[in-house]
Amino acid sequence: MLQKVKELDIQVEAFVPQSSEELEQFRIQMLGKKGAISQLFTEFKNVPVEQKREFGASLNILKTKAQEKIAQLKQSLEDKNVTSHNLDLSLPADPVKLGSRHPVALVHNEIVDIFARLGFTVFNGPEIEDDWHVFSALNFPPEHPARDMQDTFFVNQKDEVLLRTHTSSVQVRAMEAQKPPIRTIAPGRVYRNEAISARSHCMFHQIEGLYIDKDVSFADLKQTLLYFAKEFFGKDTKIRMRPSYFPFTEPSAEVDVSCSLCGGKGCNVCKYTGYLEILGAGMVDPNVLKASGIDDKIYTGYAFGLGLERIAMLKYGITDIRVLFENDVRFLEQFKSVF
Ligand code: DAH
């Protein structure tokens, strides 16, 4: 009898079912009413008294072991069923939603890339500035209206600490920090105390360009800007320079590009002029060179400054500047690019 218990124990130990039907069959075979283990219980009464104790104990152990093993196998077969029947592992995973670049960042990256090809490196300056770098060193007369509280956000008016109103301040920092030849562009945020409307904002972005060397001429400036315009707006783009005034350049010019929407024929974006104004430029005033520690008898240079929002609006046909700062995902996700 004990031998029989041992044999059944080995069978229970070794049993590996392929299916839940096979497992159920095994359960009936072992623990069913007429199963092998149940059979041994009915035979218990025939066991000689002196063996009853040992036989009874091992039979109980066998029964518990078989019950536990069957329960365990049942569970693992159920788990397997879940993975193999209810889950299709060949389905594609949930798509990862990629973000998109902000249109101002796209335009910024493209412009930095174009000027990098001409040897311009990026030079950064602070957004919180002093009067010297934003105005005085740039040849602004003391009574110039741009210094007025109307336009400038002062952080501390007594010490003349302010938010820069243009990135031209970085010109001064670049000249203070480097010796010519200097070829830098300075992208960044600028602030002006202006009413917010579809056309203007109190915070926007500019890129300032500066080139200082011996014998730099207005022709170099014109050719550089023409190259930029063709690279950015397309190879058929033309530029036009109109005389203008900035305290820090002499002579100064406003630069227009032929309208990329109508090709110069005239449309409502260029207001039927065929041209769009995109930047200010000129030859660096000798007073600015002197103020920044550059010998104006040896060196000349040109500078230019452009507004990124304006260029982004022209490029993408955006008619209201405010959408650029509202962070509306429905607007932003339209701009996908590798830049
Ligand atoms: N700083 C000017 C502005 O904010 C833009 C500008 C004009 C920059 C002419 C220049 C320049 O360097 O030469 O409107």
Side-chain angles (χ1 to χ4, degrees):
M1 282 294 198
L2 263 179
Q3 187 54 31
K4 189 85 185 132
V5 172
K6 272 192 195 130
E7 278 167 20
L8 288 176
D9 185 74
I10 292 168
Q11 269 186 46
V12 168
E13 191 88 39
F15 179 66
V16 184
Q18 295 307 317
S19 62
S20 44
E21 291 77 28
E22 215 181 299
L23 178 64
E24 178 58 8
Q25 210 133 49
F26 183 73
R27 190 192 64 79
I28 296 167
Q29 246 176 49
M30 289 291 164
L31 299 167
K33 265 200 188 119
K34 291 189 180 139
I37 295 173
S38 316
Q39 209 65 48
L40 287 180
F41 273 100
T42 48
E43 284 172 26
F44 185 73
K45 57 181 185 297
N46 306 327
V47 174
V49 183
E50 65 279 9
Q51 288 174 20
K52 265 198 161 62
R53 199 190 169 124
E54 192 186 356
F55 178 72
S58 49
L59 189 56
N60 272 329
I61 291 171
L62 173 67
K63 187 183 173 188
T64 321
K65 186 171 173 176
Q67 280 170 335
E68 279 172 3
K69 169 129 186 186
I70 287 166
Q72 219 176 43
L73 287 169
K74 201 171 166 199
Q75 186 63 49
S76 69
L77 278 172
E78 273 168 13
D79 290 351
K80 239 195 200 157
N81 273 348
V82 170
T83 40
S84 58
H85 296 306
N86 305 354
L87 259 188
D88 182 351
L89 296 177
S90 67
L91 281 176
D94 281 348
V96 178
K97 231 182 165 204
L98 287 180
S100 52
R101 292 232 187 264
H102 192 279
V104 172
L106 289 173
V107 166
H108 163 279
N109 292 352
E110 199 176 336
I111 296 175
V112 168
D113 193 61
I114 292 170
F115 282 103
R117 278 180 247 146
L118 295 173
F120 284 78
T121 51
V122 170
F123 193 88
N124 288 309
E127 289 175 26
I128 300 175
E129 263 292 7
D130 50 33
D131 177 275
W132 172 255
H133 291 93
V134 177
F135 300 125
S136 296
L138 287 168
N139 203 31
F140 277 78
E143 72 287 358
H144 195 285
R147 291 166 177 249
D148 205 298
M149 279 215 69
Q150 297 301 316
D151 295 308
T152 309
F153 285 117
F154 284 89
V155 176
N156 173 342
Q157 200 167 15
K158 186 165 93 16
D159 301 324
E160 296 179 329
V161 180
L162 44 94
L163 298 181
R164 65 181 179 196
T165 55
H166 55 179
T167 45
S168 301
S169 57
V170 190
Q171 267 189 42
V172 179
R173 293 199 173 265
M175 288 190 274
E176 286 171 345
Q178 300 169 40
K179 286 197 177 4
I182 298 169
R183 199 159 26 180
T184 57
I185 49 170
R189 262 185 216 142
V190 300
Y191 303 84
R192 282 184 201 174
N193 193 357
E194 275 184 31
I196 297 171
S197 70
R199 295 174 58 88
S200 64
H201 213 284
C202 60
M203 186 278 289
F204 54 100
H205 298 79
Q206 288 186 332
I207 291 188
E208 184 81 12
L210 177 72
Y211 180 34
I212 309 281
D213 203 349
K214 289 175 185 155
D215 303 324
V216 177
S217 72
F218 201 89
D220 296 322
L221 169 64
K222 190 170 179 187
Q223 187 55 36
T224 304
L225 295 178
L226 180 63
Y227 173 79
F228 160 70
K230 284 177 180 288
E231 287 293 295
F232 191 87
F233 292 104
K235 65 177 177 11
D236 296 327
T237 308
K238 292 193 252 324
I239 64 167
R240 183 173 80 173
M241 292 177 124
R242 287 177 288 111
S244 185
Y245 171 77
F246 298 103
F248 34 91
T249 42
E250 184 60 39
S252 304
E254 306 259 15
V255 182
D256 304 338
V257 293
S258 53
C259 179
S260 51
L261 288 165
C262 63
K265 284 189 202 77
C267 66
N268 61 350
V269 173
C270 63
K271 302 203 185 75
Y272 301 95
T273 62
Y275 278 89
L276 299 159
E277 185 192 324
I278 58 155
L279 55 86
M283 299 306 291
V284 180
D285 192 302
N287 286 343
V288 175
L289 294 175
K290 270 186 265 187
S292 311
I294 304 247
D295 190 339
D296 64 312
K297 300 281 173 295
I298 305 176
Y299 295 104
T300 52
Y302 63 69
F304 56 89
L306 51 88
L308 288 181
E309 280 75 8
R310 176 159 170 77
I311 298 214
M313 288 167 78
L314 289 175
K315 176 156 183 161
Y316 299 113
I318 299 164
T319 49
D320 189 328
I321 193 172
R322 290 168 292 196
V323 296
L324 294 169
F325 303 112
E326 278 165 2
N327 286 334
D328 187 330
V329 177
R330 292 166 304 176
F331 168 72
L332 294 174
E333 67 188 3
Q334 299 174 60
F335 302 91
K336 307 253 184 243
S337 169
V338 289
F339 258 108

